[in-house]
Amino acid sequence: MEKTYWRNIIIFKEIYLTSVEIGDLEYVAYSLYAYSYTAYFSGKSLSILEGEMAENSKILKQIKQEMVFYWNEILSANSFKFNKWL
């Protein structure tokens, strides 16, 4: 199962890069969130993931993808709280 998560993380990064290249901001947003979500549940280090999620939120805000921005913020807040709890 773990291999599937990591493969998906790589795929979401590729989708992100392709979407940026062709200018599809909606898929830029979805791929950033899918990356964060999948990395979170794959067991990626929360301290590393927090920084990545913050960067993703910054990008989502810049490209004005409000709904996905809030999804990412909720996931990021959960990650932050869980990391502090550990």
Side-chain angles (χ1 to χ4, degrees):
M1 183 78 131
E2 188 173 313
K3 287 183 181 182
T4 302
Y5 280 123
W6 290 110
R7 185 172 34 121
N8 287 343
I9 289 171
I10 293 168
I11 290 169
F12 292 132
K13 279 292 190 181
E14 290 172 0
I15 293 169
Y16 166 75
L17 294 172
T18 302
S19 299
V20 167
E21 188 177 304
I22 63 173
D24 189 336
L25 299 182
E26 183 177 7
Y27 275 88
V28 167
Y30 290 144
S31 62
L32 285 175
Y33 178 71
Y35 171 84
S36 295
Y37 182 87
T38 305
Y40 178 81
F41 286 105
S42 73
K44 187 169 186 175
S45 169
L46 294 177
S47 57
I48 294 171
L49 193 54
E50 282 181 34
E52 292 178 350
M53 287 182 180
E55 182 63 29
N56 290 350
S57 285
K58 181 180 171 184
I59 294 167
L60 292 167
K61 195 170 192 174
Q62 287 175 343
I63 63 173
K64 297 177 176 45
Q65 294 292 319
E66 190 173 336
M67 182 176 63
V68 182
F69 168 78
Y70 288 120
W71 293 348
N72 198 67
E73 285 293 293
I74 291 167
L75 184 62
S76 182
N78 286 333
S79 170
F80 180 76
K81 287 178 185 178
F82 189 68
N83 193 27
K84 297 303 176 197
W85 183 65
L86 295 177

